[in-house]
Amino acid sequence: MQVENQEKFIELRVNRDFGDIINVYFEFFKQNLKKFTNVFLSYNGIFLIGLLVVSYLLVSGVIGLITNNENTVLDAVGSGSEAYLMYFIFGGILFFILFLMVAVLNYSLSTSYMIKYEERKGQNFDKTEVWEEVKNNLGSIIVFILILILLFFGLMIAAVVLTFIPLAGMLAQYVIQYFVMAWVGVSFFVMLKEKRGVTDALGEGWNLVTKNFWRSVGVNFILGFLIGLLFMVVIMIPGILIGIYTFHVVQNDVDLGASVVPTVIYTLGTCLFLIIAVYSQCLSQFVNGLLYFSLHEKTYNLNSRNKIDQIGLQDQ
């Protein structure tokens, strides 16, 4: 069994150019889809239930407000629809907290999974080892995310400023966005793989990405775009079905509040959308994993030196 895993191993520590990174990404994704999905479902069970609850609260609040005799939020409050409004507000707050927790968990799981894959030279590791890697670095992960939140607010301010610059501002905004994605993703790998502190990892990530600026931005842009297309394809069938049902509701003037069916359909649809969105985030971090190993090998050449040393020992 171990031999089979060794034969299938995709070597990550290779200095790859732009096109090679994209090709290897899809090869890695195809090979590890089943195993990583198993890891994803195993450690997201309680959060998936939480997303279902959040989806129910949001949908119930929206449907309740829509079906109320008065259609504005202020009138709804005055006419006894406070419960629906509270559903929506509480659901929104809970959604923000839960989605942040889920995003952090899966950002860490995908990173840890790729690290274990590289260390074991294939899939010869258990899902509990992936979780142990996350658990052992939980303190650093939390600090990293807190810094990331501050960085996000700074990025939002920069985005607002750039909106006042026609065309060039929009292009600059996209370049900055994908650069930050690469920097943060690569830095996270540095932190977990090399056991560095948060600020040290961010510094090393900055060093790797800035020296390979356009490769980092381009890989994140192209693969981010392709992952987005994949995301749209996956939700297309349920999206079409929900769209048809919505058309039926509008055309036939269906009373949304008179039946539990609309609530169930829209709740499941919203929950499915959120789950797929979280999963696609994991796939995006795999992009930065390949980028990290490629840029690290280009900068330090450790894997090539190790192979040369092994050949030298064999010749002796």
Side-chain angles (χ1 to χ4, degrees), residues 125-145:
F125 57 90
D126 192 74
K127 62 186 178 183
T128 56
E129 296 179 58
V130 177
W131 170 244
E132 282 298 318
E133 184 77 23
V134 175
K135 190 170 65 173
N136 292 338
N137 293 277
L138 195 57
S140 297
I141 290 171
I142 292 172
V143 174
F144 189 95
I145 297 303

Side-chain angles (χ1 to χ4, degrees), residues 52 54 92 129 154 156 162 284 287 302:
L52 185 62
V54 165
E129 296 179 58
M156 289 295 294
L162 289 171
S284 297
V287 175
L302 297 180

Side-chain angles (χ1 to χ4, degrees), residues 1-12 27 31-32 116-125 310:
M1 185 70 178
Q2 184 149 348
V3 174
E4 183 181 349
N5 283 332
Q6 294 282 0
E7 290 175 350
K8 290 183 178 180
F9 174 61
I10 300 170
E11 192 163 11
L12 303 181
E27 187 180 349
Q31 181 189 107
N32 290 272
K116 289 299 174 187
Y117 178 89
E118 193 273 335
E119 288 178 351
R120 299 301 177 84
K121 308 299 180 186
Q123 297 182 6
N124 191 28
F125 57 90
Q310 288 179 350

Side-chain angles (χ1 to χ4, degrees), residues 32-235:
N32 290 272
L33 176 63
K34 182 178 179 181
K35 186 175 180 68
F36 179 73
T37 302
N38 182 33
V39 173
F40 177 83
L41 294 175
S42 297
Y43 294 106
N44 280 275
I46 188 169
F47 290 111
L48 297 182
I49 295 172
L51 288 175
L52 185 62
V53 172
V54 165
S55 300
Y56 171 77
L57 291 173
L58 290 172
V59 169
S60 297
V62 170
I63 288 179
L65 291 171
I66 289 175
T67 55
N68 190 262
N69 290 332
E70 304 293 334
N71 288 326
T72 67
V73 174
L74 291 176
D75 288 341
V77 173
S79 60
S81 294
E82 292 90 346
Y84 296 125
L85 189 59
M86 288 305 298
Y87 274 3
F88 183 75
I89 293 174
F90 181 68
I93 295 172
L94 190 60
F95 162 75
F96 176 79
I97 296 172
L98 188 63
F99 198 78
L100 182 62
M101 293 173 63
V102 172
V104 171
L105 171 65
N106 288 286
Y107 201 71
S108 305
L109 283 176
S110 55
T111 303
S112 177
Y113 179 93
M114 207 168 199
I115 289 172
K116 289 299 174 187
Y117 178 89
E118 193 273 335
E119 288 178 351
R120 299 301 177 84
K121 308 299 180 186
Q123 297 182 6
N124 191 28
F125 57 90
D126 192 74
K127 62 186 178 183
T128 56
E129 296 179 58
V130 177
W131 170 244
E132 282 298 318
E133 184 77 23
V134 175
K135 190 170 65 173
N136 292 338
N137 293 277
L138 195 57
S140 297
I141 290 171
I142 292 172
V143 174
F144 189 95
I145 297 303
L146 291 175
I147 294 176
L148 189 60
I149 292 172
L150 296 176
L151 183 65
F152 172 77
F153 284 116
L155 188 62
M156 289 295 294
I157 294 171
V160 171
V161 173
L162 289 171
T163 56
F164 293 101
I165 307 174
L167 190 58
M170 183 181 68
L171 293 174
Q173 183 178 333
Y174 279 114
V175 170
I176 292 172
Q177 174 187 329
Y178 288 109
F179 168 76
V180 170
M181 287 173 60
W183 173 39
V184 169
V186 169
S187 298
F188 200 78
F189 266 93
V190 171
M191 184 179 72
L192 293 191
K193 175 63 179 173
E194 302 178 25
K195 309 302 180 189
R196 297 201 189 195
V198 176
T199 53
D200 192 18
L202 286 168
E204 176 65 4
W206 180 273
N207 177 53
L208 293 174
V209 172
T210 52
K211 286 182 177 179
N212 302 273
F213 183 86
W214 291 113
R215 187 193 305 190
S216 302
V217 171
V219 165
N220 269 272
F221 172 72
I222 295 297
L223 285 175
F225 177 74
L226 294 176
I227 291 170
L229 287 180
L230 179 63
F231 174 80
M232 291 177 63
V233 169
V234 171
I235 66 171

Side-chain angles (χ1 to χ4, degrees), residues 14 35 168 218 226 254 263 268 276 278 299:
V14 176
K35 186 175 180 68
L226 294 176
V254 175
T263 301
L268 292 176
I276 296 174
V278 170
T299 304

